[in-house]
Amino acid sequence: MLLDKNYEESSPRVVIIGTGAGGLACGISLKHKLGFRNFTIYEKADEVGGTWRGCSSDVDMAFFSLSTDLRNWKESHGSQQDIWEYWISLAKKYGLYPYIVFNHMVTSAEWDNDTQLYNIVTKNTLTGEKSTTTAHILISAIGILETPRYASIPGLNAFKGAMFHSARWDKTVELKGKRGGVVGNGASATQFVPIISEDPSVEVLQFCRTPHWVLPSIRKTYSPLWCRLVSIFPLLKLLSRYAVFFKSELMYGTVFANPIFRGLITKLLTKYITNTAPKEYHDKLVPKYTLGCKRVIFDTNYLAGLHRPNLDLNWDGIDTIVEDGILTKTGQHIPLDVLIFATGYAADYYPFPIKGNTEKTIQEYYEEQKGPKAYRGTTVPGFPNFFLISGPNTATGHTSAIYTTEVQINYIMQLIQPILERKVLSLEVSVEATDEYNEKLHSQLSKSVFTQCLSWYRIGGTGKVTNAFPSSATVFWLWLRRPDWYHYWGVGADKWLKEQRLRQRRRPVLRLLFLGVLVLAAYGFHTLNVKLLRKGWNLAKNSTDI
């Protein structure tokens, strides 16, 4: 298909779904890197923030922030309020609010081959009213922590008290003087359980299934002197970021990639858990599985909090949820006023239908492939001009999600630039490239620590690893630093792709030529130095002889 003059002169439109870190960073890149302004971000809530409105960071804020917007943080790890205010400030700084439609969720999208557009349906979350719009490019920034997952427990809807998921915290529920049950003991629970149990009038019973490896807290408050130095020498912010990056890479090398170091760290963590937690829980709290195959958790006063008289753990297993509480598998009936689920997210499920050019939805494609699958976690065959931020196999257990998001966005910007410049109509990754990439990916994952236990990284906890990336953050950047144009095809893209592939073929040759020039220059410099040294030696010798 050839591009007509009217198409080349028309303005394309981009729709981004979600104003979490990915959606906002994408809007910033469109506006200030590409100078593009015809985009809309749909957000189902009434403010920006995404998932980070309800949790804190377990990554140092020097690295859990955009590389373009480093801050002089007062603490190493931000609270949910700190993180939320940070993203609100960025939305204001970069003028994103006029581009955001709040209280509107995307409910479906379908690609039209004839118009080369996505037909998008949105719903007003306040009134329920539906409306339609179109976009040349659709970017999903809902992330993988979007849909809360409730445990499959009989009687889930029988409970008559207040009940909610920690990802959708109900602020109208008063816990003071109540008896609350917490189902789950993963990363979210270990953050909020120490907080809600601070009040001695709140009795907390935590229902646990599997222990987790808990690492000592690395959180700290920076001294006024350090904050003053950072304000005087802004370069310290960048140096701090690189320091955290290298520490996280070291963590990958010791915990995830090296069984010898992993064994040593396992012994140290076992000692930390038994030294910190009450003795009565030691046999339950120390995991039996390999360190790193589940998400590792940094202690936020959770283990020490277990000494509180108003906090108890129950490892009996839940048999049924009843009207006034829980019936355990040992037959014990435990009355409860409030029930809080901290049971994670449906990370292998795409929450609404998006159709490409094959009549399949994203979720149907995932199911056909026996789990979420994408090319470099970003593009999916059969879905032109559709891009995922935090797609399949992009999560890591050791580095910053903001870092991987920025890497992906940089990759996406390179892909959409020719579409925005009207040089092509649409681009789509090939089936062959996607299959080849995933074979390489899962070959590495099969030898990794991620296959050694039940975890949310895997389908159904024990199946295909669809969330974890098998290598370091450096490798993630190397794989996504630029597109391989041989892996893409498109409508109206033949001429442009031919040019890009020619440049891609020339790139190694130019590198070799550049390297050759450097070698020749170095050799010439060396030869000249040798000649000058000999000449100087001869002059010195002659003068000595005289």
Side-chain angles (χ1 to χ4, degrees):
M1 183 185 291
L2 296 175
L3 303 180
D4 60 39
K5 189 173 181 181
N6 289 334
Y7 178 84
E8 291 176 348
E9 291 175 354
S10 63
S11 176
R13 182 167 183 256
V14 177
V15 162
I16 302 168
I17 309 171
T19 62
L24 294 178
C26 194
I28 291 169
S29 289
L30 279 171
K31 195 176 177 192
H32 293 275
K33 286 187 178 179
L34 298 187
F36 183 79
R37 285 170 166 72
N38 190 18
F39 65 91
T40 304
I41 311 176
Y42 288 99
E43 171 54 53
K44 63 185 179 182
D46 58 2
E47 184 53 278
V48 303
T51 301
W52 310 117
R53 290 181 67 179
C55 62
S56 61
S57 165
D58 55 8
V59 176
D60 195 302
M61 292 307 298
F63 199 33
F64 201 69
S65 50
L66 288 185
S67 59
T68 54
D69 288 88
L70 305 180
R71 292 286 168 88
N72 187 0
W73 300 96
K74 291 182 173 57
E75 295 178 319
S76 61
H77 293 69
S79 66
Q80 67 88 18
Q81 189 68 26
D82 292 331
I83 298 168
W84 189 23
E85 289 174 359
Y86 172 75
W87 288 105
I88 289 174
S89 71
L90 292 190
K92 291 177 180 177
K93 173 183 175 181
Y94 290 103
L96 292 183
Y97 277 96
Y99 299 87
I100 301 172
V101 180
F102 289 110
N103 299 309
H104 279 73
M105 65 186 296
V106 173
T107 59
S108 68
E110 186 170 353
W111 177 256
D112 188 323
N113 268 324
D114 295 329
T115 61
Q116 294 286 287
L117 290 168
Y118 275 101
N119 295 311
I120 302 165
V121 179
T122 65
K123 184 176 81 171
N124 187 311
T125 56
L126 300 178
T127 66
E129 181 183 356
K130 289 189 175 183
S131 56
T132 59
T133 188
T134 60
H136 299 83
I137 294 167
L138 182 61
I139 300 174
S140 172
I142 62 173
I144 53 177
L145 304 181
E146 159 65 17
T147 307
R149 187 193 295 277
Y150 285 84
S152 300
I153 303 171
L156 185 64
N157 296 319
F159 187 65
K160 299 298 184 183
M163 183 175 73
F164 55 88
H165 194 284
S166 62
R168 303 287 185 267
W169 196 276
D170 190 344
K171 294 182 180 179
T172 64
V173 176
E174 176 60 61
L175 295 177
K176 192 176 185 65
K178 301 282 180 65
R179 195 181 204 211
V182 176
V183 180
N185 61 316
S188 297
T190 55
Q191 287 189 41
F192 73 75
V193 164
I195 295 173
I196 65 174
S197 61
E198 281 181 343
D199 183 346
S201 75
V202 179
E203 187 178 354
V204 180
L205 289 93
Q206 188 176 8
F207 298 89
C208 309
R209 183 177 64 178
T210 308
H212 292 265
W213 286 109
V214 180
L215 281 66
S217 175
I218 53 174
R219 297 165 187 262
K220 59 186 176 184
T221 300
Y222 294 123
S223 68
L225 175 60
W226 171 257
C227 293
R228 179 62 179 161
L229 286 172
V230 171
S231 64
I232 297 171
F233 305 106
L235 182 62
L236 288 174
K237 290 185 282 189
L238 184 61
L239 293 175
S240 296
R241 183 179 179 86
Y242 275 111
V244 178
F245 172 78
F246 287 121
K247 280 195 290 185
S248 69
E249 292 295 83
L250 180 63
M251 182 179 176
Y252 169 78
T254 53
V255 173
F256 295 91
N258 192 308
I260 297 173
F261 278 107
R262 188 162 59 236
L264 177 62
I265 294 171
T266 297
K267 291 178 181 178
L268 293 173
L269 291 183
T270 300
K271 191 172 183 180
Y272 171 72
I273 293 169
T274 54
N275 284 347
T276 312
K279 189 175 181 179
E280 62 190 281
Y281 296 134
H282 286 182
D283 62 327
K284 298 290 187 181
L285 285 173
V286 178
K288 304 292 191 294
Y289 56 81
T290 307
L291 173 66
C293 67
K294 282 181 180 284
R295 180 178 175 181
V296 293
I297 295 171
F298 286 97
D299 196 1
T300 51
N301 201 38
Y302 174 73
L303 294 178
L306 295 177
H307 290 277
R308 292 170 182 166
N310 62 321
L311 173 57
D312 286 314
L313 305 185
N314 187 296
W315 298 86
D316 295 338
I318 300 172
D319 181 75
T320 311
I321 296 175
V322 294
E323 288 188 2
D324 63 344
I326 279 174
L327 187 66
T328 70
K329 289 185 177 179
T330 61
Q332 182 185 8
H333 174 251
I334 301 176
L336 297 168
D337 301 307
V338 181
L339 195 52
I340 305 169
F341 284 86
T343 45
Y345 298 82
D348 53 2
Y349 173 74
Y350 198 85
F352 51 87
I354 293 181
K355 281 188 178 181
N357 56 22
T358 63
E359 290 302 309
K360 292 176 189 169
T361 65
I362 284 286
Q363 184 58 29
E364 287 168 345
Y365 173 77
Y366 284 173
E367 290 170 0
E368 183 185 78
Q369 300 298 317
K370 306 221 172 4
K373 176 179 176 180
Y375 174 77
R376 306 196 181 189
T378 309
T379 51
V380 182
F383 294 83
N385 293 5
F386 175 68
F387 306 94
L388 292 161
I389 297 174
S390 300
N393 295 108
T394 57
T396 69
H398 69 281
T399 197
S400 167
I402 308 301
Y403 164 82
T404 54
T405 292
E406 282 195 270
V407 170
Q408 272 194 289
I409 289 172
N410 179 61
Y411 181 79
I412 291 170
M413 292 301 116
Q414 294 176 71
L415 288 171
I416 69 174
Q417 190 166 0
I419 303 167
L420 300 181
E421 293 174 352
R422 314 314 264 156
K423 293 176 180 176
V424 303
L425 282 164
S426 61
L427 285 173
E428 178 185 340
V429 69
S430 71
V431 173
E432 296 77 16
T434 305
D435 289 343
E436 183 183 343
Y437 172 75
N438 277 271
E439 284 171 13
K440 175 183 176 181
L441 189 82
H442 287 283
S443 173
Q444 292 191 26
L445 283 168
S446 67
K447 304 164 194 167
S448 74
V449 69
F450 298 113
T451 60
Q452 296 182 26
C453 68
L454 183 147
S455 79
W456 74 274
Y457 294 132
R458 309 174 71 180
I459 292 289
T462 58
K464 175 181 173 184
V465 180
T466 59
N467 286 302
F469 184 73
S471 194
S472 66
T474 303
V475 170
F476 188 85
W477 172 79
L478 285 169
W479 285 10
L480 276 84
R481 70 191 185 282
R482 65 170 65 95
D484 185 335
W485 296 112
Y486 285 94
H487 292 171
Y488 285 90
W489 67 280
V491 175
D494 292 347
K495 181 182 177 183
W496 188 85
L497 282 173
K498 186 177 179 180
E499 293 171 355
Q500 299 309 306
R501 288 165 182 169
L502 180 61
R503 290 180 183 175
Q504 191 171 314
R505 285 200 304 271
R506 287 174 177 168
R507 198 175 291 127
V509 177
L510 292 172
R511 279 202 208 101
L512 285 172
L513 286 172
F514 180 69
L515 184 61
V517 169
L518 286 178
V519 170
L520 288 173
Y523 177 76
F525 184 71
H526 172 71
T527 304
L528 180 62
N529 278 343
V530 169
K531 286 181 178 178
L532 289 172
L533 284 170
R534 284 177 178 170
K535 187 174 180 181
W537 171 257
N538 289 332
L539 286 171
K541 186 178 179 183
N542 291 336
S543 61
T544 303
D545 291 341
I546 292 169

